[in-house]
Amino acid sequence: MRVGLLTGGGDCPGLNAAIRAVVKHGEGTYGHSIVGFRNGWRGVVEGDVLPLGRQHIRNVLPVGGTILGTARYHPNAEDGGIEAVMATLEAERIEALICIGGDGTLHAASKVAEAGVKIVAIPKTIDNDVSGTDLSIGFHTAVNIATEAIDRIHTTAESHNRVMVVEVMGRHAGWIAINAGIAGGAELVLTPEDPFDIDQVIKFLKHRHRAHANFSIVVVAEGAEPRRGGSMDFTTQLGRFGEIVAGAVGDRLAHEIAERTGFDTRVTILGHVQRGGSPTPTDRILGSRFGVAAIDAVVEGRTGVMTALRGEEVVLVPLAEVAGKPKRVPPDLIRAAQVLA
Ligand code: F6P
């Protein structure tokens, strides 16, 4: 059997673990041929293939990024895109396609599955906002990186008596902000799920600095926005694929805090640092488990499904049920960050 494989959307640590598992298990256990497509769905549309054998996946487990390359490209949003996908898959005699991606890639995958292609998806995104799975590949590493950054910012904040605003990724959900904020002991965590009241933020900081502290750490997710009708007028700007201009909310928030409190304030935008470098063991293991489960699903003839972690188990969930529905941080987790301020 010839099985296609692609990685789409933003890269993240742990993708190569999944690619390696697909190749090792697909070829080694079942004798399938794995055909990689370069640069996500764009490679499928353009017929840009890369045969993937054991020699290509040697030593990739600790390596960040994706050996296949990736792109933000959705064939369902392009004229003739789905037809071009079908033509390439037929020319390459691909019988099933494994798509590793976040929400945009998975939405495209569900459209291609509707057109009759056998699809098994694997969720990845440092934002951890894919529905139906407890964890997506890349999130654990990103939280580690953000936590380490907050730890480092802590010591310089305290030495200089400063307010430090730390902007982390998370367009539609504040999973990194909340988890790294709790782990790093941030004073305030602002997320897209819970629009913030700038007057409350200022009141809190003034009280804290008057009462018992000389510094504060404010973690803000890039998709966080002030409450409508409040005294801060700011709306997030999204690009064509829903990507955010990094730094906008962090810069603006730091400016508002400095202006309204008079406290010495600095901003750190973590940006793509969170998506780079070597994956944690958790992401290597998750990518490996998802890769094995995806090949097993292909062999069982399953289609239109996504591998998902539910508790301790990897299961398959219908792609149509999860694509296009961002998974939000639950209120109890947001509350934990708030009460620990
Ligand atoms: O992959 C998710 C993500 O990292 C978001 O958190 C961020 O808004 C976006 O990608 C950045 O996209 P790009 O790498 O295209 O600038």
Side-chain angles (χ1 to χ4, degrees):
M1 187 172 185
R2 281 169 68 81
V3 180
L5 176 63
L6 67 86
T7 51
D11 74 334
C12 67
L15 291 173
N16 289 327
I19 294 169
R20 172 178 174 271
V22 166
V23 174
K24 272 193 110 164
H25 190 40
E27 192 185 285
T29 312
Y30 297 111
H32 295 330
S33 300
I34 311 298
V35 179
F37 289 98
R38 285 195 187 86
N39 305 323
W41 287 109
R42 185 187 291 282
V44 185
V45 164
E46 294 174 354
D48 192 356
V49 299
L50 170 78
L52 277 177
R54 298 288 282 258
Q55 68 276 25
H56 300 106
I57 51 147
R58 216 160 277 142
N59 302 328
V60 300
L61 201 48
V63 180
T66 161
I67 58 169
L68 284 174
T70 187
R72 290 196 191 280
Y73 178 94
H74 306 147
N76 48 313
E78 306 290 332
D79 275 350
I82 299 281
E83 292 74 12
V85 165
M86 304 301 277
T88 299
L89 296 181
E90 198 181 330
E92 292 294 331
R93 294 175 288 109
I94 301 293
E95 291 162 75
L97 188 59
I98 297 176
C99 308
I100 311 177
D103 195 48
T105 306
L106 300 185
H107 182 64
S110 72
K111 294 293 166 204
V112 173
E114 277 170 23
V117 177
K118 282 197 170 145
I119 297 269
V120 175
I122 295 178
K124 70 85 222 170
T125 166
I126 66 161
D127 292 358
N128 201 38
D129 60 355
V130 173
S131 290
T133 180
D134 295 350
L135 280 180
S136 291
I137 298 171
F139 170 64
H140 190 265
T141 307
V143 171
N144 263 22
I145 294 167
T147 302
E148 197 201 328
I150 295 168
D151 286 346
R152 289 175 184 278
I153 285 167
H154 234 118
T155 57
T156 170
E158 202 162 0
S159 304
H160 282 269
N161 307 321
R162 280 175 173 158
V163 176
M164 301 295 271
V165 173
V166 184
E167 186 190 287
V168 298
M169 282 187 168
R171 292 174 280 184
H172 310 294
W175 289 97
I176 299 177
I178 286 284
N179 282 276
I182 292 174
E187 276 65 55
L188 281 174
V189 183
L190 310 178
T191 61
E193 285 85 347
D194 187 21
F196 61 90
D197 180 338
I198 189 67
D199 296 323
Q200 289 298 326
V201 169
I202 300 301
K203 197 168 151 197
F204 171 86
L205 292 173
K206 280 186 175 167
H207 173 75
R208 174 178 150 83
H209 286 230
R210 203 181 306 122
H212 58 90
N214 65 344
F215 77 97
S216 293
I217 310 272
V218 181
V219 174
V220 58
E222 62 183 349
E225 286 183 336
R227 199 166 50 79
R228 299 237 183 278
S231 66
M232 179 176 161
D233 187 22
F234 174 88
T235 312
T236 306
Q237 302 295 322
L238 297 181
R240 182 171 171 226
F241 295 107
E243 74 282 11
I244 280 171
V245 184
V249 71
D251 278 338
R252 178 65 192 281
L253 185 64
H255 176 76
E256 295 287 335
I257 291 171
E259 286 280 300
R260 295 179 190 222
T261 62
F263 298 152
D264 198 13
T265 304
R266 295 289 188 275
V267 59
T268 303
I269 314 293
L270 291 187
H272 290 79
V273 165
Q274 296 158 97
R275 288 219 320 240
S278 187
T280 58
T282 297
D283 273 326
R284 296 180 200 190
I285 295 163
L286 188 66
S288 301
R289 289 180 78 187
F290 280 170
V292 168
I295 282 290
D296 285 340
V298 164
V299 169
E300 285 163 17
R302 303 290 300 270
T303 181
V305 291
M306 180 186 84
T307 62
L309 185 72
R310 295 270 178 90
E312 299 299 323
E313 262 188 288
V314 172
V315 298
L316 298 175
V317 297
L319 199 44
E321 275 178 25
V322 301
K325 297 169 196 149
K327 181 182 71 170
R328 308 288 183 150
V329 179
D332 75 286
L333 196 46
I334 293 181
R335 180 165 157 68
Q338 284 167 350
V339 300
L340 293 172

